[in-house]
Amino acid sequence: MKKILVLLFLFGFSFSVKCQIEIPGTNLTIEMVKARKIGVLSVQFAGSYNVLSGKDNKRVQVRLKVRSRDGDLTIFDPNKLSLLSDQFNARFSVSEVLFASFFQTRGFQMLTTNDTEKPVFAKYDSSVPNTFNNYTFEGYKDCSIDLNFGTNRKPIIHTIYFRPQNIDKNVLDVYFVVPNELTTGKLYFGDTLISEIDIR
């Protein structure tokens, strides 16, 4: 063992171990696979909607392996996912949730907190709470996805979130809209740290 450690030191090897994080109080484990910036030409086809970032922000994709520990269908609530930034003292909510596939044609249904002049791609369902609001981190500002479908003088704000679904073993692509300068962050599910991430 001592010789192996010396060789690793001499050749400058570095590695990280990926593991499934068990989520307390649930039947779920989550593993972060990768995180990357999404280019402006990237397109998703999940229900014909796409949350654009604007010039001051960028879209970040985080790929996750989500599993139920016993293999049975288990409810997964993506609204409990958030990306924390120490640089901006901010906590960002998810902007899109898709099942990872070549065309990414299937995703979680988008919901809105406002029943007024709803966008065609979002539903209003007061029976489904936005659990992003259930978790706060002292010193961090909560940044939800708020879309204005009115005007600056008469805004019609829709805060978007997602309907939970039953899953057993799936790879998911979740997206965040964050400032262009953000390069690192911490991915949380509720108050459980999943992984620290570097955005390449």
Side-chain angles (χ1 to χ4, degrees):
M1 177 61 74
K2 191 175 293 185
K3 290 182 179 179
I4 293 175
L5 291 175
V6 170
L7 286 173
L8 289 175
F9 176 77
L10 289 175
F11 287 98
F13 279 72
S14 64
F15 59 92
S16 60
V17 178
K18 293 182 179 179
C19 61
Q20 290 278 329
I21 303 298
E22 293 189 2
I23 308 301
T26 75
N27 190 31
L28 293 170
T29 65
I30 301 176
E31 175 187 332
M32 202 282 292
V33 178
K34 67 178 180 180
R36 65 185 181 120
K37 175 184 174 181
I38 299 297
V40 294
L41 298 181
S42 175
V43 177
Q44 280 75 48
F45 300 97
S48 73
Y49 69 79
N50 188 211
V51 177
L52 301 178
S53 59
K55 66 179 182 178
D56 296 325
N57 300 300
K58 61 186 175 184
R59 294 173 65 237
V60 172
Q61 178 199 62
V62 179
R63 178 160 289 183
L64 303 174
K65 290 182 180 178
V66 183
R67 299 177 181 175
S68 65
R69 290 200 291 268
D70 59 11
D72 293 335
L73 286 173
T74 299
I75 197 74
F76 176 75
D77 182 358
N79 306 298
K80 294 182 179 181
L81 288 166
S82 62
L83 181 61
L84 264 69
S85 167
D86 293 336
Q87 180 181 356
F88 290 91
N89 294 325
R91 174 176 171 257
F92 299 96
S93 68
V94 172
S95 66
E96 295 144 273
V97 190
L98 306 174
F99 289 92
S101 63
F102 183 75
F103 288 110
Q104 292 190 313
T105 55
R106 190 164 66 97
F108 285 58
Q109 183 183 51
M110 183 182 286
L111 301 175
T112 174
T113 57
N114 189 347
D115 196 27
T116 303
E117 297 189 30
K118 298 184 297 295
V120 295
F121 50 80
K123 303 291 184 182
Y124 176 77
D125 188 345
S126 60
S127 69
V128 181
N130 182 3
T131 52
F132 175 77
N133 300 321
N134 293 358
Y135 303 91
T136 57
F137 290 75
E138 187 176 354
Y140 291 81
K141 178 184 177 181
D142 288 340
C143 300
S144 57
I145 300 294
D146 297 326
L147 305 180
N148 183 8
F149 288 88
T151 64
N152 289 334
R153 291 184 62 189
K154 295 183 178 180
I156 302 174
I157 303 299
H158 288 271
T159 300
I160 62 172
Y161 64 112
F162 300 89
R163 186 184 301 279
Q165 290 192 36
N166 280 316
I167 63 173
D168 51 8
K169 181 180 179 182
N170 295 95
V171 179
L172 302 177
D173 287 332
V174 298
Y175 295 81
F176 298 90
V177 176
V178 299
N180 285 325
E181 297 80 10
L182 190 148
T183 56
T184 62
K186 299 174 184 176
L187 183 70
Y188 276 83
F189 185 87
D191 51 15
T192 299
L193 177 63
I194 304 301
S195 180
E196 296 188 7
I197 63 175
D198 294 314
I199 300 166
R200 302 180 183 279

